[in-house]
Amino acid sequence: MHQPLRAFCVFVLPLLLVACANLGGYKEAPKVSLANIKVLDVGLHEQKLALTIRVQNPNEKDLPIKAFSYDLLLNGQQFASGVSASAVTVPAFGNDTVEVEAFSSLGSVLRQFAEYRKGGLNKVSYRIKGSAVLTDSSIRLPFDFAGEIGLPDEK
């Protein structure tokens, strides 16, 4: 390897990696959780859902988001996914909600229904993961959150 190229690799590349790891001045990725889920449309092959997601900003500056991409897993299985250009600016150390659309397949719904029919379920575990794209940049802040949704008792 040539001496100038070696110097570049040893000194400049680590600095570039650190700069990229700074996430555009944000010390932490947003915390995104599922606040609500509604069924908008049911088709033979596809279901359209409205997800209300809560976005928490643990950073010292406002978080201007122009878009999201996300996957929703229920009970450890892929259930729905989507992308959304729903913009929101979350204040520093604050939170806000945004409604986004997601789509699931018939197979995903049937798998969840089979789990529910087995009985004994009083809650559903979920995981929402993806990224938030910041306004005026191509910076993508990843998020990954797991929680549980209580199910109503059958009576």
Side-chain angles (χ1 to χ4, degrees):
M1 190 183 285
H2 299 317
Q3 195 65 21
L5 183 58
R6 182 176 298 162
F8 177 81
C9 291
V10 170
F11 296 108
V12 177
L13 281 179
L15 291 175
L16 290 173
L17 291 174
V18 169
C20 291
N22 269 339
L23 300 173
Y26 294 94
K27 294 180 182 174
E28 292 184 56
K31 293 178 172 73
V32 176
S33 59
L34 186 62
N36 196 16
I37 185 169
K38 291 186 289 189
V39 177
L40 295 178
D41 191 26
V42 177
L44 181 59
H45 297 287
E46 183 178 76
Q47 292 69 48
K48 183 178 177 181
L49 310 168
L51 307 179
T52 303
I53 56 176
R54 177 165 306 282
V55 183
Q56 297 177 336
N57 178 8
N59 295 287
E60 296 176 356
K61 63 182 191 175
D62 291 353
L63 186 63
I65 299 172
K66 69 178 174 184
F68 296 91
S69 64
Y70 39 87
D71 290 306
L72 177 64
L73 290 82
L74 297 181
N75 296 320
Q77 298 176 13
Q78 176 70 31
F79 181 71
S81 62
V83 294
S84 176
S86 299
V88 64
T89 297
V90 185
F93 298 113
N95 69 81
D96 204 345
T97 58
V98 62
E99 190 168 292
V100 297
E101 291 181 349
F103 297 89
S104 65
S105 68
L106 179 61
S108 298
V109 172
L110 291 176
R111 278 192 301 275
Q112 292 304 316
F113 184 70
E115 288 292 318
Y116 181 74
R117 295 286 296 158
K118 286 181 185 175
L121 283 180
N122 58 357
K123 58 188 167 188
V124 173
S125 64
Y126 78 89
R127 180 176 172 198
I128 187 165
K129 62 181 183 169
S131 60
V133 182
L134 299 185
T135 304
D136 298 329
S137 76
S138 60
I139 295 174
R140 296 172 89 69
L141 299 178
F143 57 82
D144 193 339
F145 182 84
E148 293 182 338
I149 303 168
L151 295 176
D153 291 332
E154 288 186 39
K155 294 190 180 188

